[in-house]
Amino acid sequence: MTLCSSLRTLTKQTLNTLKLFHFTYHTNLLSHSHANAIAFDPWTSDSSFVHHVHHPFDESTQKDLSNYNHLLFEYSRTHCNQEALNIFVSLHHSSLPVDGSTMSCVLKVCGCLFDQNVGRQVHCQCIKSGFVDDVSVGTALVDMYMKTENVGDGRRVFDEMGERNVVSWTSLLSGYVRNGLNDLALELFFLMQGEGIKPNPFTFGTVFGALADDGMVKKGIHVHTMVIKNGFESTVFVCNSLINMYSKSGMVRDARAVFDSMEKRDEVSWNGMVAGCVTNGLDLEAFEMFYQMRLAGVMLTQMIFATMIKLCANVRELGFARQLHCRVLKNGCCFDHNIRTALMVAYSKCSVMDDAFQLFSMMHGVQNVVSWTAMISGYLQNGRTRQAVNLFCQMNREGVRPNHFTYSTILTAQPAISTFQLHAQVIKTNYEKSSSVGTALLDAYVKMGCIDEAAKVFELIDEKDIVAWSAMVAGYAQREDTEGAIKIYLWLAKEGVKPNEFTFCSIVNACAAPSAAIEQGKQFHACSIKSGLNNALCVSSALVTMYAKRGNIESANTVFKRQGERDLVSWNSMISGYAQHGHGKKALEIFEEMRRRNLEMDDITFIGVISACTHAGLVDEGQRYFNMMVKDHDIDPTMEHYSCMVDLYSRAGLLEKAMDVINGMPFPAGATVWRTLLAACRVHRNVELGKLAAEKLISLQPQDSAAYVLLSNIYAATGNWQERAKVRKLMDERNVKKEAGYSWIEVKNKTYSFLAGDLSHPSSDLIYSKLEELSIRLKDAGYQPDTNYVLHDVEEEHKETILSQHSERLAIAFGLIATPPGTPIQIVKNLRVCGDCHTVIKLISMFEAREIVVRDSNRFHHFKGGLCTCGDYW
């Protein structure tokens, strides 16, 4: 059944049973805030309409259709849509015949009021009165249904029209665009031309709007050529649409070329050009364009005020924002809601929150969710979390329903506000499946460490955009869960979602985790190159960090050198990377390069620099850089800085100076500081100071095995087996478990783990055979085992056996038999490499002509040709 026949049946049933045709309309009797619904019956002689609405010609005796139509059109033209609808009701009551123009106009009014109920009743009247075949009425019906989001009925009316003109086609086309159906709009655009309908300027303008929204600029260029062929290249409306399309597509030069070619420009043209510059970050060009606009004498509109105030917010230009505020007041635009909100945002970004709140307070009674959200966001941007949370609570109390922007904003306020309570409110208001809200929720859960909750939120998001995908990958990366991050990335690829630079940044960061396979980071580096995103700043910085953390400092340096632009992350990663890899002097060279360029430095920079001095044994330089940080850069030392200084002195054997640093700290020393000192006491066999450090560490972390193990090792190294036994007994009483020493090696994309004396590997026979072979060669080279590193009270011969079966030696032996000669070997150990193994690995690197990289709990060791990059400051 067609739409018209359905409506005819509906009309007949209504007239036969009720003999009544109702128009429900809303009119403000006392104020704009109180609307009363009035049902008017044009078929009765006594209408309440006359008692409620007064029209200028009510007292005239000559009430013909032309008078009604004139007033109806005038109200419609001036956007007095409610009054126009009242006139139509009065016309019905007059029993005067209506024409197609009347029905077209009232249908337009229904569309502007977004009132589909009244629109349907007018549609019924059109069928009854025989105007449904009128092309202008049919076009108005299409427009009304599209504006009231009834795309299906709009299309059915269009298909049933006996006659269609370019306006009809354009109405349907613009309806598709308005409802986000841009693909259908483009199909219709080419279909209308196939049926011989020549587009008019409004058709082209609508199409350019659709192309701008979908970023299909290539098709836009093709349609631009059609504009020229049709002779509309000088039409202001079309040119304005072209400026908008090119600007939204990032092609500001092309937008400017269109602008410059225009013979006539209106306020929309200038605003489009200024807004295009602002959107594309061309702030100076935007200011220059505004200046040219003022010289041209173009009238300032509310739109240009809003655009320029947004520009002031972007560049934190408070002075000019205040000038614009004054001009807004002078021009009488101060009550425009968009301008007020833009001013609030500008003042917030310029950190004058009192002015922003004053504006917000002046909006009392007309505050909407946008203004509330802007104010909440302003407080959060300025670090005033408590005020933001209080305002959000007040917003709820006043019955203003948060939207997706509000939830996305306030979720960043945790832990000042409960994520779980917000999640419950999000579910109640049906925003859980929103991409922006879901992304903010999962990010909040990730920051709380609730990765499983974050994953559940992610799965519920209906339309996952690239921001949501990237946030989930980043969540797993923060947890150092490489496997989880890669699963999300592969799912993303399977869904056909194109990763952006933030996706690659996150997945590369995930590959920097100790548990990640060495080759995985390289593979994603290759993917970023294929996508053309490897040179994006965040990606290249992540690559520098990843290669440095995964033992490939040469590749890190290569990426660093190729960076066209470097941020602080890149510089810090190279300094820390060189420090961790034993290239202390290279780390300091990078730092001095930063100083020459007068680049910004932060606390992390100096942690890397002092660590470089520590690993290179540069005590005086380390002290000098610490003083430089405090005096020249006004950076307050943190616990980590003091820990680095304690490590600097401790490694050099200056334990008294290390204690002076601890005693001079402005806050109590943390576990890291005491652990560092305790480790040094073990190396230098300082029992008394070691005992003090152990007691402090145990009081802070009673279940941490490191304190007990290091103290017992100190006693063992000094031959005090009785005290060592007491410490071990204390561990048993407190149920403290010693962390087992593991070593890992990756061969052919598979990771193998080894324990000391491990026999579980399928190739154990070959591994121990290789160790026996190496033992013979080592003894031939004059190697003598240093049994001081065996902290067990056993026979000397047994101590040598224990040393020869340390986990790192097993891993290296497996690497030697499982990889081709000359292939570099890289292993990871969860504990510190002992001194005897360090000596052995240096010799193996020389015997086997292999580069061997060992990442222990402290640093990287690069063994090659019998030497190590640590310079034996391990």
Side-chain angles (χ1 to χ4, degrees):
M1 184 181 290
T2 65
L3 179 65
C4 284
S5 61
S6 298
L7 287 168
R8 285 191 185 99
T9 303
L10 174 64
T11 304
K12 186 175 181 180
Q13 289 173 347
T14 304
L15 294 176
N16 288 341
T17 58
L18 302 177
K19 297 296 183 182
L20 163 63
F21 181 65
H22 283 267
F23 283 96
T24 303
Y25 64 98
H26 303 281
T27 182
N28 294 333
L29 298 178
L30 298 175
S31 68
H32 288 289
S33 61
H34 298 284
N36 297 298
I38 302 170
F40 173 70
D41 179 7
W43 305 107
T44 62
S45 58
D46 182 19
S47 171
S48 61
F49 172 82
V50 180
H51 301 292
H52 290 287
V53 183
H54 178 78
H55 298 297
F57 60 75
D58 278 350
E59 298 172 2
S60 170
T61 56
Q62 296 181 343
K63 300 177 186 175
D64 58 17
L65 181 61
S66 62
N67 288 333
Y68 275 106
N69 278 352
H70 175 76
L71 198 56
L72 181 64
F73 299 153
E74 196 63 26
Y75 276 139
S76 175
R77 187 182 65 80
T78 56
H79 307 294
C80 300
N81 295 307
Q82 192 61 61
E83 289 81 354
L85 191 58
N86 294 340
I87 288 292
F88 181 66
V89 174
S90 181
L91 176 58
H92 246 295
H93 176 67
S94 70
S95 299
L96 288 172
V98 295
D99 58 17
S101 300
T102 312
M103 304 307 280
S104 300
C105 186
V106 77
L107 284 167
K108 177 187 174 184
V109 167
C110 293
C112 292
L113 289 172
F114 306 106
D115 195 333
Q116 188 180 139
N117 291 331
V118 176
R120 280 189 177 279
Q121 294 180 66
V122 175
H123 191 173
C124 291
Q125 187 68 5
C126 290
I127 296 170
K128 179 175 177 290
S129 304
F131 292 117
V132 75
D133 294 324
D134 187 303
V135 66
S136 65
V137 173
T139 301
L141 279 167
V142 172
D143 186 61
M144 182 271 296
Y145 281 122
M146 288 297 186
K147 282 180 178 175
T148 55
E149 300 180 354
N150 193 334
V151 176
D153 283 351
R155 181 61 196 245
R156 278 191 287 272
V157 169
F158 178 82
D159 290 339
E160 291 173 7
M161 289 175 66
E163 179 187 355
R164 296 187 289 240
N165 58 20
V166 66
V167 181
S168 312
W169 285 89
T170 303
S171 292
L172 183 62
L173 195 150
S174 62
Y176 279 144
V177 173
R178 187 180 295 109
N179 288 280
L181 304 171
N182 293 331
D183 290 338
L184 290 176
L186 292 175
E187 286 180 18
L188 191 71
F189 175 70
F190 292 110
L191 177 63
M192 69 181 286
Q193 293 172 84
E195 295 199 8
I197 304 296
K198 184 179 178 182
N200 65 15
F202 296 101
T203 315
F204 282 116
T206 304
V207 170
F208 287 133
L211 293 167
D213 290 339
D214 274 10
M216 296 186 288
V217 71
K218 288 185 178 179
K219 287 186 178 180
I221 294 170
H222 172 63
V223 178
H224 190 174
T225 61
M226 295 170 62
V227 166
I228 297 171
K229 288 179 181 179
N230 283 272
F232 295 134
E233 68 273 17
S234 298
T235 306
V236 174
F237 179 80
V238 175
C239 290
N240 290 346
S241 299
L242 275 167
I243 291 170
N244 176 58
M245 180 193 70
Y246 283 129
S247 296
K248 284 186 175 181
S249 304
M251 301 171 65
V252 184
R253 288 186 179 180
D254 296 88
R256 183 60 190 262
V258 173
F259 179 82
D260 290 340
S261 69
M262 294 175 69
E263 296 175 3
K264 293 182 180 180
R265 306 182 185 110
D266 59 10
E267 296 89 349
V268 179
S269 314
W270 285 95
N271 185 66
M273 205 58 238
V274 174
C277 292
V278 173
T279 302
N280 289 279
L282 304 173
D283 300 326
L284 291 177
E285 289 84 347
F287 278 118
E288 175 64 24
M289 184 63 67
F290 181 72
Y291 176 68
Q292 294 295 332
M293 178 181 177
R294 299 299 294 128
L295 290 179
V298 180
M299 183 180 70
L300 297 178
T301 62
Q302 293 179 353
M303 189 67 72
I304 193 65
F305 277 126
T307 301
M308 289 306 298
I309 293 168
K310 178 184 177 183
L311 174 58
C312 291
N314 291 347
V315 299
R316 287 12 179 213
E317 177 52 58
L318 179 60
F320 194 54
R322 291 196 189 281
Q323 292 180 34
L324 287 169
H325 192 172
C326 293
R327 193 57 191 262
V328 163
L329 293 169
K330 186 177 179 181
N331 283 31
C333 302
C334 56
F335 295 107
D336 181 77
H337 208 283
N338 291 332
I339 291 178
R340 280 188 176 185
T341 304
L343 280 167
M344 279 167 48
V345 172
Y347 288 145
S348 297
K349 288 192 175 181
C350 293
S351 301
V352 282
M353 289 307 299
D354 290 342
D355 289 358
F357 187 72
Q358 186 178 10
L359 265 174
F360 178 74
S361 300
M362 290 169 62
M363 298 169 68
H364 186 69
V366 292
Q367 295 158 341
N368 61 11
V369 66
V370 177
S371 52
W372 282 94
T373 303
M375 201 64 219
I376 292 168
S377 177
Y379 277 130
L380 288 172
Q381 288 167 13
N382 286 276
R384 296 166 70 172
T385 307
R386 178 46 55 193
Q387 288 92 329
V389 173
N390 290 340
L391 201 63
F392 177 76
C393 295
Q394 183 184 344
M395 173 185 177
N396 281 295
R397 285 194 300 270
E398 295 194 12
V400 180
R401 183 183 177 187
N403 63 13
H404 58 291
F405 290 112
T406 318
Y407 285 124
S408 302
T409 301
I410 197 62
L411 277 163
T412 64
Q414 65 98 11
I417 192 167
S418 168
T419 301
F420 296 106
Q421 289 180 1
L422 278 176
H423 192 173
Q425 188 174 346
V426 164
I427 294 171
K428 287 179 182 178
T429 50
N430 294 320
Y431 277 110
E432 190 179 23
K433 296 181 179 181
S434 160
S435 181
S436 60
V437 178
T439 302
L441 257 177
L442 74 87
D443 185 58
Y445 278 127
V446 165
K447 288 176 180 175
M448 293 169 60
C450 303
I451 194 70
D452 293 334
E453 290 297 323
K456 290 175 185 176
V457 170
F458 177 74
E459 289 178 4
L460 286 174
I461 298 173
D462 270 344
E463 296 181 7
K464 300 175 180 69
D465 58 15
I466 191 58
V467 179
W469 288 102
S470 300
M472 199 63 240
V473 174
Y476 281 115
Q478 288 175 35
R479 281 274 303 268
E480 294 190 340
D481 184 350
T482 309
E483 185 180 351
I486 291 175
K487 280 182 180 179
I488 295 295
Y489 184 89
L490 295 176
W491 183 8
L492 172 155
K494 186 178 179 181
E495 294 288 326
V497 180
K498 186 178 179 181
N500 63 12
E501 61 269 34
F502 301 108
T503 319
F504 279 115
C505 174
S506 297
I507 195 66
V508 169
N509 283 334
C511 293
S515 61
I518 297 168
E519 292 299 316
Q520 286 175 328
K522 293 180 181 179
Q523 290 171 4
F524 286 112
H525 186 179
C527 291
S528 70
I529 293 171
K530 288 179 182 178
S531 300
L533 296 170
N534 58 304
N535 291 322
L537 181 56
C538 66
V539 178
S540 59
S541 295
L543 285 167
V544 171
T545 304
M546 184 271 294
Y547 280 123
K549 285 186 175 181
R550 299 302 292 144
N552 195 339
I553 194 66
E554 293 81 9
S555 293
N557 187 41
T558 301
V559 175
F560 180 75
K561 286 181 176 179
R562 288 177 180 172
Q563 283 187 297
E565 179 187 359
R566 294 173 186 148
D567 59 5
L568 189 56
V569 175
S570 305
W571 290 96
N572 286 349
S573 294
M574 281 311 301
I575 292 171
S576 299
Y578 274 134
Q580 287 290 309
H581 287 267
H583 302 292
K585 290 183 179 179
K586 287 185 178 181
L588 297 182
E589 286 173 8
I590 296 287
F591 177 75
E592 292 301 331
E593 178 66 20
M594 288 184 74
R595 290 185 66 194
R596 282 192 294 273
R597 297 190 184 193
N598 198 28
L599 297 175
E600 176 193 2
M601 300 175 188
D602 64 4
D603 56 329
I604 297 173
T605 312
F606 284 95
I607 288 171
V609 169
I610 298 170
S611 295
C613 295
T614 299
H615 292 306
L618 304 173
V619 178
D620 293 337
E621 287 84 348
Q623 181 63 64
R624 180 168 65 86
Y625 286 123
F626 182 85
N627 294 336
M628 180 191 297
M629 175 187 78
V630 176
K631 295 176 182 178
D632 298 346
H633 294 272
D634 296 321
I635 296 174
D636 294 328
T638 64
M639 185 73 75
E640 197 162 358
H641 291 109
Y642 285 113
S643 180
C644 288
M645 290 303 295
V646 170
D647 197 22
L648 175 73
Y649 289 126
S650 298
R651 284 173 185 265
L654 304 172
L655 298 180
E656 289 184 5
K657 277 200 169 186
M659 276 305 298
D660 289 341
V661 171
I662 294 173
N663 292 330
M665 289 170 60
F667 38 74
T672 306
V673 174
W674 291 114
R675 190 181 294 109
T676 300
L677 181 64
L678 180 56
C681 290
R682 184 188 68 82
V683 173
H684 298 288
R685 303 187 182 185
N686 190 320
V687 178
E688 291 305 315
L689 193 55
K691 189 175 180 180
L692 171 66
E695 288 173 354
K696 294 286 187 181
L697 182 54
I698 289 170
S699 69
L700 291 169
Q701 295 181 345
Q703 292 302 308
D704 182 9
S705 65
Y708 303 91
V709 172
L710 286 170
L711 182 59
S712 69
N713 289 350
I714 291 173
Y715 288 133
T718 56
N720 194 339
W721 300 107
Q722 189 175 0
E723 289 298 322
R724 178 185 182 274
K726 288 181 180 179
V727 174
R728 292 289 178 169
K729 184 179 179 183
L730 184 62
M731 287 181 69
D732 293 337
E733 290 173 355
R734 295 183 178 181
N735 198 27
V736 177
K737 302 296 182 183
K738 179 183 179 295
E739 183 180 7
Y742 280 93
S743 292
W744 294 269
I745 183 171
E746 183 184 336
V747 177
K748 296 179 181 178
N749 296 325
K750 187 176 179 180
T751 302
Y752 300 87
S753 63
F754 294 89
L755 277 167
D758 199 344
L759 294 170
S760 63
H761 195 280
S763 303
S764 287
D765 291 343
L766 293 174
I767 291 170
Y768 280 95
S769 175
K770 183 66 179 180
L771 284 175
E772 187 65 31
E773 174 201 324
L774 290 171
S775 178
I776 295 169
R777 295 172 70 183
L778 286 166
K779 287 180 180 178
D780 290 344
Y783 159 73
Q784 290 293 325
D786 188 349
T787 56
N788 287 320
Y789 290 99
V790 179
L791 305 172
H792 299 278
D793 189 13
V794 295
E795 295 295 328
E796 198 71 17
E797 189 174 323
H798 190 197
K799 287 183 179 181
E800 291 184 17
T801 303
I802 292 172
L803 281 174
S804 69
Q805 295 178 4
H806 274 186
S807 65
E808 54 266 51
R809 299 197 198 186
L810 294 174
I812 290 170
F814 175 66
L816 291 172
I817 64 175
T819 60
T823 305
I825 294 173
Q826 183 169 339
I827 69 168
V828 177
K829 185 172 183 181
N830 64 330
L831 302 178
R832 197 169 180 175
V833 174
C834 80
D836 186 67
C837 286
H838 191 270
T839 301
V840 167
I841 299 170
K842 285 197 295 183
L843 292 170
I844 292 174
S845 71
M846 182 173 62
F847 294 157
E848 297 287 336
R850 298 270 194 135
E851 180 181 356
I852 302 173
V853 180
V854 178
R855 174 65 166 109
D856 68 7
S857 62
N858 195 51
R859 63 181 298 163
F860 280 95
H861 300 266
H862 290 257
F863 300 93
K864 189 175 182 180
L867 299 173
C868 179
T869 54
C870 74
D872 292 346
Y873 286 100
W874 79 95

